[in-house]
Amino acid sequence: MAGRFPAFFSLYQMENTRLTFHKEERLKSIKAIASLFQDGNTLLVYPLKFVWKEYDHGAPVPVQAAFSVSGRNFKKASDRNLLKRRMREAYRLNKHQFYAMAGERKIIIMHLFIAKEEVPFTRINQAMLTGWGKLRRKWALSGSQIPGEQLSNQ
């Protein structure tokens, strides 16, 4: 079975079928978050802003993610929590695509909600998938091969 899938798939095969969001997948390190905002790359897909960086976080997962909603735009904690819950759910349901895209890279990513009004889950989900697609194209343009894809001239 190890020969059919890349090494990172065997680690997450059971986990992906359950579509969970475990503790080691959460970005919590203050040092990593500070580094992310200091040196990270940004990408905007309304209503989300992605701040990401390749970073050796030492966790057994390829991606660590965090989610944030501005207290300036949403005064009530219940509103902020609802939007963060929607972002986490969109991430949880689609993370297998992001893991496959990341491959052997170790990535930290922060998802920031930048809209000033509440947005339905479907729009957040679509923005997340669109953002990941743009990120995939950025990686392709930077010359690093995306795992699972063959170069056309080989």
Side-chain angles (χ1 to χ4, degrees):
M1 184 166 142
R4 289 180 43 197
F5 299 104
F8 59 91
F9 276 123
S10 62
L11 271 173
Y12 303 107
Q13 188 176 10
M14 292 298 291
E15 188 173 289
N16 283 341
T17 57
R18 292 179 51 215
L19 297 175
T20 57
F21 187 51
H22 289 288
K23 183 177 180 178
E24 54 273 351
E25 295 175 283
R26 298 176 191 268
L27 176 59
K28 297 175 290 189
S29 167
I30 295 171
K31 182 179 172 185
I33 293 170
S35 172
L36 179 64
F37 282 105
Q38 188 174 23
D39 308 329
N41 303 302
T42 61
L43 179 68
L44 180 68
V45 179
Y46 190 82
L48 300 176
K49 180 178 180 180
F50 303 89
V51 183
W52 64 275
K53 177 182 178 181
E54 287 193 41
Y55 185 86
D56 188 14
H57 46 73
V61 293
V63 179
Q64 282 192 331
F67 306 89
S68 181
V69 178
S70 170
R72 181 184 298 174
N73 296 333
F74 296 93
K75 302 293 184 200
K76 293 182 182 176
S78 58
D79 293 338
R80 293 191 300 273
N81 291 339
L82 173 69
L83 292 168
K84 284 190 282 189
R85 193 177 309 120
R86 287 177 181 172
M87 287 192 295
R88 281 193 308 264
E89 181 70 3
Y91 178 83
R92 185 185 68 80
L93 291 174
N94 299 300
K95 73 175 181 178
H96 62 281
Q97 295 173 15
F98 196 57
Y99 277 23
M101 187 175 76
E104 299 297 324
R105 293 183 184 97
K106 293 283 192 170
I107 296 170
I108 55 176
I109 186 166
M110 174 76 79
H111 300 82
L112 303 166
F113 189 83
I114 58 168
K116 296 187 186 296
E117 69 283 342
E118 193 175 305
V119 175
F121 171 78
T122 53
R123 191 159 173 202
I124 292 172
N125 191 42
Q126 187 59 42
M128 194 165 290
L129 292 173
T130 303
W132 290 352
K134 286 185 177 185
L135 187 57
R136 180 185 192 97
R137 286 190 293 278
K138 276 190 174 195
W139 284 343
L141 290 175
S142 70
S144 58
Q145 184 179 354
I146 299 168
E149 290 187 353
Q150 298 294 325
L151 294 175
S152 58
N153 60 359
Q154 288 185 341

